[in-house]
Amino acid sequence: MKIALAQINPTIADFSGNTARILDATLRAEALGADLVVFSELSLCGYPAADLMEKPSFLADSLRALDTLTAASSDFKVAILVGSITPAPAGSGRRVANSAVLIANGKQLFAQSKRLLPFYDVFDEQRYFAPALRQTIFPFQGEQLGITICEDAWNDKSFWPHRLYPDDPVEDLVNQGATILLNLSASPFWQQKRELRQQMLGVIARRHSLPVVMVNQVGGNDSLIFDGSSVAFNSEGRIAAQASSFVEDIVLYDSKTGLGTIHPLTLDSAGATLDALVLGTRDYLHKCGFRKAVIGLSGGIDSALVAAIAVRALGSGNLLGIGMPSPYSSSGSIEDSRALAANLGIPFEVIRIDKLFDGFNQALAPIFTGLKPDITEENIQSRIRGNLLMALSNKLGSLVLTTGNKSEMAVGYCTLYGDMAGALAVVGDVVKTRVYELCETLNRKGEVIPQAILTKPPSAELRPDQKDTDSLPPYEILDPILEAYVERYETPEEISGSLKVELPLVRRVVQLIERSEYKRQQAAPVLKVTSKAFGMGRRFPITARVQV
């Protein structure tokens, strides 16, 4: 049987648009000679739809789209395996199930619902879906199809040292006589996720001596980025077909010959992270109905990286850079920003905030009498800039991209309603040292980020001669502490021991992280590119007194 792996970029709740994408890919699959075209998990409604799943109208719209697709299938010789919600069984306590539906010749031949429902990190599937009580194989085109959905394949006892579920749907299907394993996925991207996913699927193929086909969603939905990277393994566990990452794609796998189409992937971690951030930025704006963005360019490396990503995502004609120097801004902040804008081919405008800052100080002077200048005056400058960017957003119909990195968000080195104001935190899951790495990657084929931006000491420039190291440890020390505490949940004592950093310093950093939760919960959505990002996959109370 010839199987087309069709990774598409669905938009949540866009049933007509998603149906059109599925039909277009089906037409292409038929032209390739496929007998079956496989789509990703919930490709008909988009993933994750969150509490839309609770709305009766959403289920009704989904079922209408499934009927439309079923009727259209009579025009094709190729069969369609599509991800869709279906009504949950009576008495399950849920409204819907997460299903894979096999369609051919105008009929729905078979439906298999998801059995293992993840409830960790960004996943809330036990909140919405009724789990399948069992899974069964289905005969088709001389094969016995073993159909699973995403997490169903993530519980192999020979791969995971600690399994999350007592059941293994894949093993159950193999024991029933499956001759090929098909997995419909919506598996979000994070660094090293693609490698982990391929290793796991390869182990399954070798263990059971069966072909394994996985079709993954591609595209950005809110904070989540889906890389695609759909893949087929032959019965020996070798990659036989492979779709590209971060773009819609379709490749063919022949289960009889064990051969297929292999498209290249971006292999290095920095390059893949950049591609992910570009895709996430583009889809966030476009799926929200916007084409243009505005960004404050400070002359620093974070705003430079965000601008470079935005240009790749939106095109140079759709990004406006704004410089907003204060009395404490260095001359280089504007000169370097202008050089960056020239490299990127974007317009750059300057709005001085000196008089606005003076106006704030004068207005507050009667109340501030006798009080020394402190961080209050620093934050006023940042909030003036946030107000100006939001005014431009309103007037020009452009979304503001925030420029704070993960290191700053972690320890609260950012200003609410100031530099945190905006629609999307593009690099909010990228620590500062990683920001430099991504910028160096961008410069491999010629200067994108000016060298002056790469080499200057990081500074918020909100008071005379300010440097980030006035308030924080050097990022080379800070970032490993943050990654250990935020991403791996290590204790201060464990971090101190493993990193050879003094325990009081580690505790001071951890205290900053804990005290800044209230800021992070008011931040713009963060594009997730690590295993643990701030936002929907990390849920902590604000009103807590964590012992450090």
Side-chain angles (χ1 to χ4, degrees), residues 131-163:
L133 299 179
R134 67 187 65 84
Q135 286 166 301
T136 58
I137 60 175
F138 184 78
F140 183 77
Q141 294 278 339
E143 300 279 5
Q144 298 290 334
L145 306 183
I147 299 171
T148 59
I149 301 175
C150 206
E151 188 86 351
D152 289 340
W154 287 72
N155 202 41
D156 186 274
K157 63 187 176 185
S158 64
F159 185 81
W160 299 104
H162 305 289
R163 298 197 304 162

mmCIF file of all heavy atoms in Angstrom, residues 131-163:
data_model
loop_
_atom_site.group_PDB
_atom_site.id
_atom_site.type_symbol
_atom_site.label_atom_id
_atom_site.label_comp_id
_atom_site.label_asym_id
_atom_site.label_seq_id
_atom_site.Cartn_x
_atom_site.Cartn_y
_atom_site.Cartn_z
ATOM 1 N N PRO A 131 -11.647 8.923 26.863
ATOM 2 C CA PRO A 131 -10.635 8.009 26.328
ATOM 3 C C PRO A 131 -11.277 6.779 25.694
ATOM 4 O O PRO A 131 -12.352 6.329 26.113
ATOM 5 C CB PRO A 131 -9.840 7.606 27.575
ATOM 6 C CG PRO A 131 -10.832 7.707 28.689
ATOM 7 C CD PRO A 131 -11.739 8.860 28.332
ATOM 8 N N ALA A 132 -10.604 6.253 24.683
ATOM 9 C CA ALA A 132 -11.053 4.976 24.116
ATOM 10 C C ALA A 132 -10.814 3.873 25.139
ATOM 11 O O ALA A 132 -9.771 3.840 25.794
ATOM 12 C CB ALA A 132 -10.292 4.675 22.837
ATOM 13 N N LEU A 133 -11.760 2.986 25.286
ATOM 14 C CA LEU A 133 -11.602 1.868 26.216
ATOM 15 C C LEU A 133 -10.766 0.759 25.601
ATOM 16 O O LEU A 133 -10.151 -0.041 26.313
ATOM 17 C CB LEU A 133 -12.979 1.327 26.618
ATOM 18 C CG LEU A 133 -13.892 2.322 27.341
ATOM 19 C CD1 LEU A 133 -15.232 1.679 27.660
ATOM 20 C CD2 LEU A 133 -13.221 2.851 28.600
ATOM 21 N N ARG A 134 -10.743 0.720 24.271
ATOM 22 C CA ARG A 134 -9.959 -0.299 23.569
ATOM 23 C C ARG A 134 -9.631 0.221 22.174
ATOM 24 O O ARG A 134 -10.202 1.208 21.715
ATOM 25 C CB ARG A 134 -10.735 -1.614 23.474
ATOM 26 C CG ARG A 134 -11.968 -1.532 22.599
ATOM 27 C CD ARG A 134 -12.805 -2.796 22.645
ATOM 28 N NE ARG A 134 -13.351 -2.997 23.965
ATOM 29 C CZ ARG A 134 -14.481 -2.422 24.386
ATOM 30 N NH1 ARG A 134 -15.145 -1.584 23.604
ATOM 31 N NH2 ARG A 134 -14.928 -2.631 25.597
ATOM 32 N N GLN A 135 -8.715 -0.454 21.517
ATOM 33 C CA GLN A 135 -8.384 -0.141 20.136
ATOM 34 C C GLN A 135 -8.390 -1.423 19.338
ATOM 35 O O GLN A 135 -8.022 -2.489 19.843
ATOM 36 C CB GLN A 135 -7.020 0.558 20.050
ATOM 37 C CG GLN A 135 -7.108 2.003 20.546
ATOM 38 C CD GLN A 135 -5.744 2.628 20.791
ATOM 39 O OE1 GLN A 135 -4.994 2.114 21.597
ATOM 40 N NE2 GLN A 135 -5.458 3.712 20.110
ATOM 41 N N THR A 136 -8.811 -1.318 18.090
ATOM 42 C CA THR A 136 -8.908 -2.500 17.249
ATOM 43 C C THR A 136 -8.263 -2.238 15.895
ATOM 44 O O THR A 136 -8.238 -1.098 15.418
ATOM 45 C CB THR A 136 -10.377 -2.916 17.034
ATOM 46 O OG1 THR A 136 -11.094 -1.818 16.448
ATOM 47 C CG2 THR A 136 -11.026 -3.295 18.345
ATOM 48 N N ILE A 137 -7.744 -3.294 15.309
ATOM 49 C CA ILE A 137 -7.161 -3.167 13.979
ATOM 50 C C ILE A 137 -8.279 -3.094 12.945
ATOM 51 O O ILE A 137 -9.430 -3.462 13.222
ATOM 52 C CB ILE A 137 -6.198 -4.335 13.664
ATOM 53 C CG1 ILE A 137 -6.945 -5.679 13.738
ATOM 54 C CG2 ILE A 137 -5.014 -4.309 14.612
ATOM 55 C CD1 ILE A 137 -6.092 -6.868 13.330
ATOM 56 N N PHE A 138 -7.929 -2.636 11.740
ATOM 57 C CA PHE A 138 -8.927 -2.534 10.675
ATOM 58 C C PHE A 138 -8.291 -2.991 9.367
ATOM 59 O O PHE A 138 -7.225 -2.503 8.979
ATOM 60 C CB PHE A 138 -9.421 -1.092 10.536
ATOM 61 C CG PHE A 138 -10.531 -0.943 9.525
ATOM 62 C CD1 PHE A 138 -11.834 -1.301 9.850
ATOM 63 C CD2 PHE A 138 -10.273 -0.463 8.242
ATOM 64 C CE1 PHE A 138 -12.856 -1.178 8.925
ATOM 65 C CE2 PHE A 138 -11.290 -0.333 7.316
ATOM 66 C CZ PHE A 138 -12.598 -0.694 7.656
ATOM 67 N N PRO A 139 -8.935 -3.942 8.656
ATOM 68 C CA PRO A 139 -8.363 -4.423 7.391
ATOM 69 C C PRO A 139 -8.586 -3.421 6.262
ATOM 70 O O PRO A 139 -9.702 -2.908 6.076
ATOM 71 C CB PRO A 139 -9.152 -5.722 7.140
ATOM 72 C CG PRO A 139 -10.464 -5.511 7.838
ATOM 73 C CD PRO A 139 -10.169 -4.669 9.031
ATOM 74 N N PHE A 140 -7.514 -3.140 5.538
ATOM 75 C CA PHE A 140 -7.627 -2.176 4.444
ATOM 76 C C PHE A 140 -6.494 -2.397 3.453
ATOM 77 O O PHE A 140 -5.322 -2.436 3.834
ATOM 78 C CB PHE A 140 -7.581 -0.741 4.982
ATOM 79 C CG PHE A 140 -7.763 0.314 3.923
ATOM 80 C CD1 PHE A 140 -9.024 0.586 3.416
ATOM 81 C CD2 PHE A 140 -6.680 1.018 3.430
ATOM 82 C CE1 PHE A 140 -9.204 1.539 2.434
ATOM 83 C CE2 PHE A 140 -6.852 1.987 2.451
ATOM 84 C CZ PHE A 140 -8.115 2.255 1.951
ATOM 85 N N GLN A 141 -6.857 -2.550 2.181
ATOM 86 C CA GLN A 141 -5.885 -2.672 1.088
ATOM 87 C C GLN A 141 -4.837 -3.752 1.374
ATOM 88 O O GLN A 141 -3.649 -3.562 1.106
ATOM 89 C CB GLN A 141 -5.194 -1.322 0.848
ATOM 90 C CG GLN A 141 -6.097 -0.227 0.335
ATOM 91 C CD GLN A 141 -6.325 -0.313 -1.177
ATOM 92 O OE1 GLN A 141 -5.550 -0.924 -1.891
ATOM 93 N NE2 GLN A 141 -7.404 0.284 -1.643
ATOM 94 N N GLY A 142 -5.269 -4.867 1.925
ATOM 95 C CA GLY A 142 -4.350 -5.959 2.181
ATOM 96 C C GLY A 142 -3.515 -5.814 3.435
ATOM 97 O O GLY A 142 -2.697 -6.692 3.747
ATOM 98 N N GLU A 143 -3.711 -4.737 4.179
ATOM 99 C CA GLU A 143 -2.989 -4.505 5.435
ATOM 100 C C GLU A 143 -3.982 -4.540 6.600
ATOM 101 O O GLU A 143 -5.189 -4.323 6.428
ATOM 102 C CB GLU A 143 -2.279 -3.150 5.419
ATOM 103 C CG GLU A 143 -1.240 -2.972 4.325
ATOM 104 C CD GLU A 143 0.106 -3.602 4.668
ATOM 105 O OE1 GLU A 143 0.207 -4.270 5.733
ATOM 106 O OE2 GLU A 143 1.047 -3.438 3.884
ATOM 107 N N GLN A 144 -3.447 -4.813 7.771
ATOM 108 C CA GLN A 144 -4.214 -4.681 9.006
ATOM 109 C C GLN A 144 -3.730 -3.408 9.705
ATOM 110 O O GLN A 144 -2.622 -3.367 10.245
ATOM 111 C CB GLN A 144 -4.006 -5.904 9.911
ATOM 112 C CG GLN A 144 -4.466 -7.213 9.293
ATOM 113 C CD GLN A 144 -5.982 -7.298 9.174
ATOM 114 O OE1 GLN A 144 -6.721 -6.667 9.931
ATOM 115 N NE2 GLN A 144 -6.454 -8.085 8.208
ATOM 116 N N LEU A 145 -4.547 -2.365 9.639
ATOM 117 C CA LEU A 145 -4.129 -1.056 10.140
ATOM 118 C C LEU A 145 -4.220 -1.008 11.663
ATOM 119 O O LEU A 145 -5.281 -1.272 12.242
ATOM 120 C CB LEU A 145 -4.998 0.052 9.550
ATOM 121 C CG LEU A 145 -5.118 0.128 8.025
ATOM 122 C CD1 LEU A 145 -5.961 1.339 7.635
ATOM 123 C CD2 LEU A 145 -3.746 0.184 7.362
ATOM 124 N N GLY A 146 -3.112 -0.628 12.305
ATOM 125 C CA GLY A 146 -3.105 -0.346 13.729
ATOM 126 C C GLY A 146 -3.003 1.155 13.907
ATOM 127 O O GLY A 146 -1.927 1.735 13.727
ATOM 128 N N ILE A 147 -4.125 1.794 14.231
ATOM 129 C CA ILE A 147 -4.201 3.258 14.238
ATOM 130 C C ILE A 147 -4.104 3.773 15.667
ATOM 131 O O ILE A 147 -4.862 3.356 16.550
ATOM 132 C CB ILE A 147 -5.514 3.736 13.587
ATOM 133 C CG1 ILE A 147 -5.576 3.259 12.125
ATOM 134 C CG2 ILE A 147 -5.625 5.259 13.666
ATOM 135 C CD1 ILE A 147 -6.927 3.490 11.480
ATOM 136 N N THR A 148 -3.166 4.684 15.895
ATOM 137 C CA THR A 148 -3.010 5.338 17.191
ATOM 138 C C THR A 148 -2.978 6.842 16.990
ATOM 139 O O THR A 148 -2.771 7.336 15.873
ATOM 140 C CB THR A 148 -1.721 4.896 17.902
ATOM 141 O OG1 THR A 148 -0.593 5.223 17.063
ATOM 142 C CG2 THR A 148 -1.731 3.403 18.176
ATOM 143 N N ILE A 149 -3.170 7.566 18.083
ATOM 144 C CA ILE A 149 -3.161 9.026 18.025
ATOM 145 C C ILE A 149 -2.150 9.549 19.036
ATOM 146 O O ILE A 149 -2.281 9.330 20.242
ATOM 147 C CB ILE A 149 -4.558 9.607 18.297
ATOM 148 C CG1 ILE A 149 -5.559 9.078 17.262
ATOM 149 C CG2 ILE A 149 -4.526 11.137 18.265
ATOM 150 C CD1 ILE A 149 -6.995 9.499 17.527
ATOM 151 N N CYS A 150 -1.123 10.182 18.554
ATOM 152 C CA CYS A 150 -0.079 10.877 19.306
ATOM 153 C C CYS A 150 0.357 10.110 20.559
ATOM 154 O O CYS A 150 1.106 9.152 20.472
ATOM 155 C CB CYS A 150 -0.519 12.298 19.635
ATOM 156 S SG CYS A 150 0.871 13.452 19.874
ATOM 157 N N GLU A 151 -0.143 10.505 21.743
ATOM 158 C CA GLU A 151 0.327 9.955 23.008
ATOM 159 C C GLU A 151 0.206 8.436 23.083
ATOM 160 O O GLU A 151 0.951 7.783 23.826
ATOM 161 C CB GLU A 151 -0.456 10.589 24.173
ATOM 162 C CG GLU A 151 0.066 10.251 25.557
ATOM 163 C CD GLU A 151 1.181 11.175 26.019
ATOM 164 O OE1 GLU A 151 1.654 11.976 25.184
ATOM 165 O OE2 GLU A 151 1.553 11.107 27.205
ATOM 166 N N ASP A 152 -0.693 7.861 22.289
ATOM 167 C CA ASP A 152 -0.856 6.407 22.280
ATOM 168 C C ASP A 152 0.448 5.686 21.952
ATOM 169 O O ASP A 152 0.638 4.528 22.338
ATOM 170 C CB ASP A 152 -1.914 5.992 21.253
ATOM 171 C CG ASP A 152 -3.326 6.369 21.671
ATOM 172 O OD1 ASP A 152 -3.550 6.592 22.876
ATOM 173 O OD2 ASP A 152 -4.199 6.450 20.787
ATOM 174 N N ALA A 153 1.332 6.367 21.224
ATOM 175 C CA ALA A 153 2.604 5.750 20.841
ATOM 176 C C ALA A 153 3.746 6.114 21.789
ATOM 177 O O ALA A 153 4.879 5.668 21.589
ATOM 178 C CB ALA A 153 2.976 6.169 19.415
ATOM 179 N N TRP A 154 3.452 6.886 22.829
ATOM 180 C CA TRP A 154 4.508 7.395 23.712
ATOM 181 C C TRP A 154 4.558 6.620 25.033
ATOM 182 O O TRP A 154 4.767 7.200 26.091
ATOM 183 C CB TRP A 154 4.297 8.882 23.989
ATOM 184 C CG TRP A 154 4.608 9.760 22.810
ATOM 185 C CD1 TRP A 154 3.893 9.886 21.669
ATOM 186 C CD2 TRP A 154 5.730 10.632 22.663
ATOM 187 N NE1 TRP A 154 4.485 10.781 20.808
ATOM 188 C CE2 TRP A 154 5.624 11.255 21.398
ATOM 189 C CE3 TRP A 154 6.817 10.958 23.483
ATOM 190 C CZ2 TRP A 154 6.555 12.169 20.930
ATOM 191 C CZ3 TRP A 154 7.742 11.879 23.016
ATOM 192 C CH2 TRP A 154 7.619 12.471 21.757
ATOM 193 N N ASN A 155 4.392 5.316 24.977
ATOM 194 C CA ASN A 155 4.389 4.558 26.232
ATOM 195 C C ASN A 155 5.052 3.195 26.062
ATOM 196 O O ASN A 155 4.692 2.224 26.721
ATOM 197 C CB ASN A 155 2.950 4.389 26.738
ATOM 198 C CG ASN A 155 2.884 4.118 28.225
ATOM 199 O OD1 ASN A 155 3.613 4.734 29.005
ATOM 200 N ND2 ASN A 155 2.022 3.201 28.629
ATOM 201 N N ASP A 156 6.033 3.126 25.171
ATOM 202 C CA ASP A 156 6.711 1.861 24.895
ATOM 203 C C ASP A 156 7.641 1.491 26.055
ATOM 204 O O ASP A 156 8.513 2.272 26.446
ATOM 205 C CB ASP A 156 7.513 1.978 23.596
ATOM 206 C CG ASP A 156 8.119 0.662 23.176
ATOM 207 O OD1 ASP A 156 9.235 0.339 23.651
ATOM 208 O OD2 ASP A 156 7.489 -0.052 22.394
ATOM 209 N N LYS A 157 7.455 0.287 26.603
ATOM 210 C CA LYS A 157 8.206 -0.111 27.787
ATOM 211 C C LYS A 157 9.680 -0.321 27.524
ATOM 212 O O LYS A 157 10.499 -0.261 28.459
ATOM 213 C CB LYS A 157 7.591 -1.373 28.380
ATOM 214 C CG LYS A 157 7.624 -2.596 27.478
ATOM 215 C CD LYS A 157 6.845 -3.750 28.092
ATOM 216 C CE LYS A 157 6.771 -4.955 27.186
ATOM 217 N NZ LYS A 157 5.911 -6.023 27.740
ATOM 218 N N SER A 158 10.062 -0.561 26.288
ATOM 219 C CA SER A 158 11.476 -0.757 25.987
ATOM 220 C C SER A 158 12.205 0.558 25.744
ATOM 221 O O SER A 158 13.431 0.574 25.623
ATOM 222 C CB SER A 158 11.645 -1.663 24.762
ATOM 223 O OG SER A 158 11.097 -1.051 23.605
ATOM 224 N N PHE A 159 11.459 1.667 25.664
ATOM 225 C CA PHE A 159 12.083 2.978 25.414
ATOM 226 C C PHE A 159 12.082 3.857 26.657
ATOM 227 O O PHE A 159 13.072 4.519 26.962
ATOM 228 C CB PHE A 159 11.363 3.696 24.271
ATOM 229 C CG PHE A 159 12.026 5.001 23.876
ATOM 230 C CD1 PHE A 159 13.136 5.001 23.048
ATOM 231 C CD2 PHE A 159 11.540 6.216 24.346
ATOM 232 C CE1 PHE A 159 13.753 6.193 22.695
ATOM 233 C CE2 PHE A 159 12.149 7.413 23.988
ATOM 234 C CZ PHE A 159 13.271 7.401 23.155
ATOM 235 N N TRP A 160 10.963 3.874 27.386
ATOM 236 C CA TRP A 160 10.830 4.784 28.526
ATOM 237 C C TRP A 160 11.163 4.061 29.827
ATOM 238 O O TRP A 160 10.553 3.040 30.138
ATOM 239 C CB TRP A 160 9.401 5.328 28.614
ATOM 240 C CG TRP A 160 8.991 6.098 27.405
ATOM 241 C CD1 TRP A 160 8.164 5.677 26.409
ATOM 242 C CD2 TRP A 160 9.404 7.416 27.048
ATOM 243 N NE1 TRP A 160 8.026 6.655 25.448
ATOM 244 C CE2 TRP A 160 8.781 7.733 25.813
ATOM 245 C CE3 TRP A 160 10.235 8.362 27.641
ATOM 246 C CZ2 TRP A 160 8.964 8.953 25.173
ATOM 247 C CZ3 TRP A 160 10.421 9.579 27.010
ATOM 248 C CH2 TRP A 160 9.798 9.859 25.801
ATOM 249 N N PRO A 161 12.102 4.585 30.604
ATOM 250 C CA PRO A 161 12.416 3.951 31.890
ATOM 251 C C PRO A 161 11.288 4.086 32.906
ATOM 252 O O PRO A 161 11.125 3.239 33.781
ATOM 253 C CB PRO A 161 13.673 4.701 32.354
ATOM 254 C CG PRO A 161 13.648 6.013 31.623
ATOM 255 C CD PRO A 161 12.989 5.727 30.311
ATOM 256 N N HIS A 162 10.498 5.166 32.783
ATOM 257 C CA HIS A 162 9.359 5.372 33.687
ATOM 258 C C HIS A 162 8.143 5.726 32.832
ATOM 259 O O HIS A 162 8.039 6.821 32.294
ATOM 260 C CB HIS A 162 9.649 6.494 34.691
ATOM 261 C CG HIS A 162 10.894 6.284 35.486
ATOM 262 N ND1 HIS A 162 11.001 5.324 36.469
ATOM 263 C CD2 HIS A 162 12.108 6.898 35.431
ATOM 264 C CE1 HIS A 162 12.210 5.357 36.988
ATOM 265 N NE2 HIS A 162 12.901 6.290 36.379
ATOM 266 N N ARG A 163 7.236 4.791 32.716
ATOM 267 C CA ARG A 163 6.062 4.999 31.876
ATOM 268 C C ARG A 163 4.958 5.722 32.656
ATOM 269 O O ARG A 163 4.825 5.563 33.865
ATOM 270 C CB ARG A 163 5.541 3.662 31.346
ATOM 271 C CG ARG A 163 6.559 2.926 30.467
ATOM 272 C CD ARG A 163 5.884 1.849 29.639
ATOM 273 N NE ARG A 163 5.139 0.899 30.455
ATOM 274 C CZ ARG A 163 4.196 0.095 29.972
ATOM 275 N NH1 ARG A 163 3.860 0.150 28.704
ATOM 276 N NH2 ARG A 163 3.569 -0.755 30.784
#
